[in-house]
């Protein structure tokens, strides 16, 4: 059997705001990303090939799951349009879907299941059609049953709706409580207690079940962890602090003598799931903003841009002066007149000669950090190409060159932008 | 860049082969200029070894022409290299992408 | 910071409305103003309905205000904590030190009922 995961960007928007994970399906529940629970279920159901179809980025999932060899299955990735319905998606993936029965998991983050149950024979006897549907997500199966037999008793299967942070919070507790049903990470030699690698628990610290602790965690003297607590990886709980009924996601620091009760911590942010209120924990030593020093390639780029801008300033000084004599407001005052003064800023290093150049790209929803953090620039990559007509076209070019440009290529592109008849 | 155009089941199938960059984009554009904007078209990208921003530009321009001419444009068989460019540029949000040429052509 | 004396229950209860944020920049103001208020009455309520941001220095000043009030056999009650400030009080265990009320009315009533007992 095969399985098709349909992931729609719009369904998980709140998760992107709440959590810092790169993709909603990579948010962890009991220290295990959502996507892994879905893969586990599909594998228990007998899938040997899984295709993840999304109308958003699939690269983060691909970086995490790869081709699926870690699970002994084939994982492939495909794109769809937001407006596509299930039939359309099946049609677009007909090579994948045509040969075999397909289990379609649509708009689902998590499936409650039991690793001991026999989903394989149950599903192979099940007729074509829907299995579970909760509106926001559904499970269905396409293709004729492979076994001609009476449908066996339905094993445990249900889809919880996860629509707000409180749903996530209670689901985490429930999943930890039902730990034997799932394959959870960590060493577990007694029920309800999972401990990861490289965990330091200092003298006098107390661990109360049920509890789950990830990798590289330090629990300092006198700290009390649990009950009903999930701690991710790279977490420090400092001296004499109490963490109970809470979730600390990866890379969280809890300072000394604090009491964390029924909260979700991530980095330096603490959320109360009941009210949704968040608090930033600022610690002057550990949590003040870390400024990344400019790396070598950044310096080279800076240098190349400054030099090229100097050359342009010298080259264009005379034409600029001559053209300035013309009356203002005329259409023949071309781009270089308007942007000539900006070249000095490039020399100073506060601007780039060429880069992504959007009006409100900083607020836009582009997940590409390179573009959001880019310095302002005199010329836009989109101006180096003649074809972009709309903002979305320009964004395509921006995305392409933010990944593919090099300091020297930048100069070529800047010249192309300068002589592009469209910009004149 | 090789461009082969065939008609199948009332749809125009354009198979591209080779490198689709700034040098090849004008050739593709010129070829696409002559096609009927109203007819359903499928572009088969199986043998495209490389695509850059100008190549994407040719495809986006053609898509726009198709939309104004109420025709349709589907892309089929994106290999991994092409898929990666579509992924990073997010150009996938503009196109209908099929994993199978026959399905894209339709019955 | 606005300060007034409420006598509606027959007691002198000082009510101070705290500003939107109390941090290292303006916590000394509160620290300076507080002894003056304490001279007028030792039954105090901090109305926190505008207070949205409190850092550790602000929290420290509020706790020291409480300490001074208790030295005078009085009490400092907090009213109308926003969710975010409530989390901070809970996190730092300061919640246990204070009596916290949903609004100033409730805090004033709490004073008078304590008085009767």
């Amino acid at each position: 059997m095969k399985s098709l995961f349909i992931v729609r960007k719009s369904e998980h928007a709140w998760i992107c705001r709440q959590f810092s994970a790169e993709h909603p399906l990579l948010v962890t529940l009991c220290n295990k990303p959502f996507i892994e629970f879905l893969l586990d279920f599909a594998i228990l159901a007998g899938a040997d090939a899984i295709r993840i179809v999304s109308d958003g980025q699939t690269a983060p999932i691909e970086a995490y799951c790869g081709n699926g060899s870690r699970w002994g299955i084939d994982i492939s990735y495909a794109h769809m349009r937001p407006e596509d319905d299930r039939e359309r998606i099946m049609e677009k993936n007909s090579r994948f879907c045509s040969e075999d029965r397909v289990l379609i998991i649509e708009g689902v983050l998590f499936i409650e299941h039991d690793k001991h149950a026999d989903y394989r024979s149950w599903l192979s006897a099940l007729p074509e059609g829907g299995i579970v549907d909760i509106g926001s997500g559904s499970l269905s199966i396409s293709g004729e049953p492979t076994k001609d037999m009476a449908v066996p008793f339905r094993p445990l299967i249900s889809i919880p709706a996860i629509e707000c942070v409180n749903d996530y919070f209670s689901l985490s507790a429930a999943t930890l409580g039902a730990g034997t049903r799932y394959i959870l990470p960590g060493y577990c030699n007694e029920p309800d207690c999972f401990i990861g690698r490289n965990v330091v628990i200092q003298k006098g610290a107390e661990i109360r079940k049920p509890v789950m602790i990830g990798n590289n965690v330090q629990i300092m003297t006198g700290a009390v962890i649990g009950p009903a607590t999930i701690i991710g990886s790279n977490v420090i709980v400092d001296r004499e602090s109490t963490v109970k009924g809470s979730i600390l996601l990866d890379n969280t620091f809890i300072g000394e003598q604090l009491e964390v009760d029924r909260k979700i911590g991530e980095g330096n942010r603490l959320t109360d799931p009941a009210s949704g209120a968040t608090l930033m924990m600022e610690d002057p030593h550990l949590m003040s903003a870390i400024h990344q020093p400019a790396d070598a390639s950044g310096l080279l780029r800076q240098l190349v841009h400054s030099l090229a801008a100097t050359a342009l300033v010298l080259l264009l000084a005379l034409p600029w002066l001559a053209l300035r004599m013309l009356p203002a407001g005329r259409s023949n005052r071309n781009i270089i007149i308007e942007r000539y003064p900006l070249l000095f800023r490039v020399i100073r290093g506060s601007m780039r000669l060429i880069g992504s150049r959007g009006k409100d790209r900083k607020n836009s929803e582009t997940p590409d950090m390179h573009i959001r953090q880019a310095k302002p620039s005199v010329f836009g990559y989109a101006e180096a190409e003649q074809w972009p007509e709309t903002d979305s076209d320009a964004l395509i070019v921006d995305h392409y060159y933010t990944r593919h440009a090099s300091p020297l290529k930048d100069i070529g592109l800047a010249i192309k932008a300068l002589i592009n008849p469209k910009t004149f | 860049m090789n461009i082969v155009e065939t008609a199948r089941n009332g749809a125009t199938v354009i198979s591209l082969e080779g490198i689709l960059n700034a040098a090849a984009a004008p050739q593709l554009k010129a070829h696409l200029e002559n096609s009927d904007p109203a007819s359903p078209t499928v572009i088969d990208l199986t043998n495209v070894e490389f695509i850059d921003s100008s190549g994407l530009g040719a495809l986006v321009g053609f898509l726009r022409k198709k939309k104004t001419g109420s025709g349709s444009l589907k892309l089929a068989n994106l290999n991994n290299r092409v898929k990666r460019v579509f992924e990073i540029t997010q150009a996938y949000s503009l196109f209908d992408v099929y994993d199978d040429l026959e399905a894209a052509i339709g019955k | 910071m606005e300060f007034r004396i409420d006598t509606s229950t027959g007691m002198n209860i000082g009510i101070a409305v705290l500003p939107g944020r109390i941090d290292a920049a303006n916590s000394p103001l509160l620290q300076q103003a507080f002894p003056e208020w304490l001279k007028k009455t030792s039954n105090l309520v901090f109305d926190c309905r505008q207070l949205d941001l409190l850092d550790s220095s602000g929290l420290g000043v509020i706790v020291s205000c409480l300490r001074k009030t208790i030295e005078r056999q009085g009490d400092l009650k907090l009213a109308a904590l926003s969710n975010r400030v409530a989390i901070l009080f809970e996190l730092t265990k300061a919640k246990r030190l204070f009596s916290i009320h949903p609004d100033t009315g409730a805090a004033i009533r709490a004073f008078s009922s304590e008085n009767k007992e």
Side-chain angles (χ1 to χ4, degrees):
Chain A
M1 197 177 70
K2 290 180 171 180
S3 185
L4 197 66
F5 295 1
I6 300 173
V7 185
R8 290 178 204 275
K9 208 161 54 172
S10 57
E11 283 163 355
H12 308 311
W14 73 269
I15 298 186
C16 299
R17 287 192 298 272
Q18 181 68 43
F19 299 98
S20 64
E22 279 191 83
H23 190 280
L25 284 175
L26 296 179
V27 170
T28 56
L29 182 86
C30 289
N31 290 346
K32 178 165 163 155
F34 279 126
I35 183 77
E36 276 201 63
F37 285 102
L38 296 182
L39 291 174
D40 282 351
F41 177 76
I43 292 165
L44 284 170
D48 51 11
I50 290 168
R51 174 159 293 178
I52 300 169
V53 189
S54 174
D55 56 352
Q57 296 267 305
T58 57
I61 306 183
E62 197 168 350
Y64 183 81
C65 298
N67 60 4
S69 59
R70 198 158 17 127
W71 293 271
I73 49 168
D74 270 326
I75 303 181
S76 56
Y77 307 85
H79 286 296
M80 62 180 206
R81 307 273 296 274
E83 65 271 21
D84 289 348
D85 58 6
R86 193 186 303 155
E87 280 85 78
R88 195 78 200 277
I89 294 162
M90 297 282 285
E91 190 193 323
K92 284 187 174 182
N93 293 282
S94 58
R95 182 173 292 182
F96 180 82
C97 297
S98 59
E99 296 154 19
D100 215 338
R101 296 200 90 193
V102 184
L103 173 69
I104 301 154
I105 301 179
E106 190 172 0
V108 172
L109 280 172
F110 184 78
I111 300 169
E112 278 185 69
H113 62 272
D114 187 342
K115 66 182 177 191
H116 307 292
D118 183 7
Y119 293 98
R120 196 180 286 242
S121 52
W122 174 63
L123 280 170
S124 55
L126 215 58
E128 182 163 13
I131 304 171
V132 191
D133 192 339
I134 59 157
S136 62
S138 68
L139 279 186
S140 55
I141 194 155
S142 81
E144 292 306 307
T146 45
K147 268 191 209 161
D148 191 20
M149 58 178 234
V151 177
F153 185 70
R154 172 175 160 155
L156 171 79
I157 178 170
S158 90
I159 308 174
I162 312 174
E163 282 156 7
C164 63
V165 68
N166 205 22
D167 291 348
Y168 166 82
F169 185 75
S170 36
L171 181 66
S172 292
T175 307
L176 180 63
T180 50
R181 274 201 232 140
Y182 304 98
I183 304 158
L184 293 181
Y187 172 72
C188 172
N189 73 339
E190 50 183 310
D192 296 336
C193 183
F194 300 82
I195 309 281
R197 279 172 279 130
N198 194 18
V199 173
V200 178
I201 300 172
Q202 289 191 353
K203 219 184 253 178
E206 219 178 294
I207 308 290
R208 296 176 182 161
K209 291 198 296 181
V211 74
M212 169 177 273
I213 297 176
N215 303 327
N216 308 320
V217 174
Q218 296 201 43
I219 312 286
M220 304 301 203
T221 308
V224 180
I225 307 297
T229 293
I230 300 161
I231 292 184
S233 293
N234 311 318
V235 171
I236 300 173
V237 179
D238 213 338
R239 288 185 303 137
E240 285 160 41
S241 281
T242 310
V243 182
K244 59 180 172 187
S246 295
I247 302 168
L248 301 183
L249 294 165
D250 292 1
N251 312 318
T252 306
F253 170 72
I254 298 294
E256 284 178 34
Q257 298 190 326
L258 298 179
E259 193 172 270
V260 181
D261 184 8
R262 295 188 60 81
K263 298 283 179 293
I264 298 174
E266 183 176 30
N268 60 347
R269 182 163 67 170
L270 205 65
T271 304
D272 180 27
S275 67
T278 59
L279 178 78
M280 301 306 280
M281 298 180 286
E282 298 285 348
D283 184 279
H285 306 292
L286 284 160
M287 290 304 175
S288 58
I290 296 165
H291 296 288
Q292 279 198 330
D295 56 357
S297 70
L299 279 175
L300 177 68
R301 187 165 236 170
Q302 185 73 66
L303 191 71
V304 170
H305 280 237
S306 296
L307 284 175
T310 316
L312 274 177
V313 163
L314 296 174
L315 196 72
L316 296 170
L318 274 179
W320 178 65
L321 282 172
L323 283 167
R324 267 192 69 153
M325 300 300 151
L326 292 172
R330 289 266 307 274
S331 58
N332 64 352
R333 305 201 66 181
N334 56 29
I335 195 158
I336 196 63
I337 301 299
E338 280 167 28
R339 299 194 191 160
Y340 187 79
L342 296 178
L343 291 173
F344 292 98
R345 291 214 213 165
V346 181
I347 301 176
R348 275 216 313 273
S350 63
M351 273 182 102
R352 284 269 173 80
L353 192 56
I354 189 159
S356 58
R357 193 167 193 280
K359 277 162 234 135
D360 47 8
R361 207 140 295 166
K362 280 206 163 63
N363 316 324
S364 76
E365 281 192 15
T366 167
D368 198 320
M369 289 306 280
H370 300 288
I371 287 196
R372 270 195 288 174
Q373 292 172 347
K375 273 190 187 172
S377 54
V378 179
F379 297 107
Y381 284 131
E383 289 169 322
E385 293 278 355
Q386 297 193 13
W387 65 270
E389 282 176 21
T390 64
D391 274 358
S392 71
D393 290 0
L395 208 54
I396 289 179
V397 178
D398 275 353
H399 280 296
Y400 183 84
Y401 283 116
T402 25
R403 292 293 179 86
H404 288 97
S406 63
L408 285 174
K409 243 190 193 170
D410 275 0
I411 300 310
L413 288 167
I415 291 166
K416 255 174 122 180
L418 190 61
I419 58 172
N420 187 346
K422 266 197 176 175
T423 58
F424 271 93
Chain B
M1 150 132 273
N2 270 333
I3 304 171
V4 181
E5 191 174 315
T6 47
R8 284 174 59 186
N9 276 6
T12 313
V13 179
I14 301 172
S15 304
L16 305 181
E17 189 183 337
I19 294 167
L20 185 47
N21 60 4
Q27 183 197 347
L28 177 62
K29 244 186 216 164
H31 186 94
L32 298 178
E33 289 290 312
N34 303 326
S35 68
D36 173 17
S39 79
T41 304
V42 180
I43 298 186
D44 181 2
L45 297 166
T46 320
N47 297 316
V48 172
E49 285 162 33
F50 174 83
I51 183 165
D52 77 350
S53 133
S54 336
L56 274 176
L59 296 179
V60 172
F62 187 49
L63 178 74
R64 199 153 285 146
K65 191 177 148 201
K66 280 281 173 194
K67 274 193 179 152
T68 50
S70 64
S72 72
L73 174 64
K74 293 169 181 173
L75 304 182
N77 293 332
L78 274 66
N79 59 43
N80 283 336
R81 281 179 300 258
V82 175
K83 216 185 259 179
R84 192 152 302 133
V85 173
F86 271 71
E87 168 88 20
I88 62 168
T89 58
Q90 297 176 20
Y92 55 75
S93 55
L94 300 174
F95 293 97
D96 283 313
V97 181
Y98 285 70
D99 74 340
D100 186 48
L101 186 61
E102 302 307 318
I105 295 166
K107 279 124 230 164
Chain C
M1 268 166 269
E2 181 194 322
F3 182 76
R4 64 187 164 90
I5 301 278
D6 180 282
T7 52
S8 60
T9 54
M11 284 171 77
N12 282 347
I13 296 167
I15 295 164
V17 181
L18 299 186
R21 55 186 295 159
I22 301 181
D23 53 19
N26 65 355
S27 64
L29 293 179
L30 178 60
Q31 188 136 36
Q32 279 160 20
F34 191 73
E36 297 299 317
W37 301 343
L38 203 54
K39 275 179 201 156
K40 291 175 189 149
T41 173
S42 57
N43 297 326
L44 291 146
V45 176
F46 278 179
D47 180 353
C48 306
R49 82 197 117 115
Q50 290 166 19
L51 183 65
D52 188 47
L53 204 139
L54 186 67
D55 78 347
S56 56
S57 69
L59 186 68
V61 170
I62 293 179
V63 172
S64 85
C65 291
L66 175 71
R67 193 176 306 121
K68 285 175 196 153
T69 321
I70 290 173
E71 279 166 13
R72 299 277 211 97
Q73 277 77 43
D75 193 16
L76 169 60
K77 297 186 196 296
L78 303 179
L81 293 187
S82 73
N83 282 332
R84 195 203 290 232
V85 175
I87 297 177
L88 184 77
F89 272 82
E90 195 182 324
L91 180 70
T92 55
K93 302 180 210 172
K95 194 180 173 183
R96 296 179 198 160
L97 304 174
F98 290 91
S99 67
I100 295 170
H101 301 272
D103 53 60
T104 42
I108 292 166
R109 283 194 295 279
F111 268 117
S112 61
S113 60
E114 278 164 27
N115 203 27
K116 275 169 205 154
E117 285 159 18

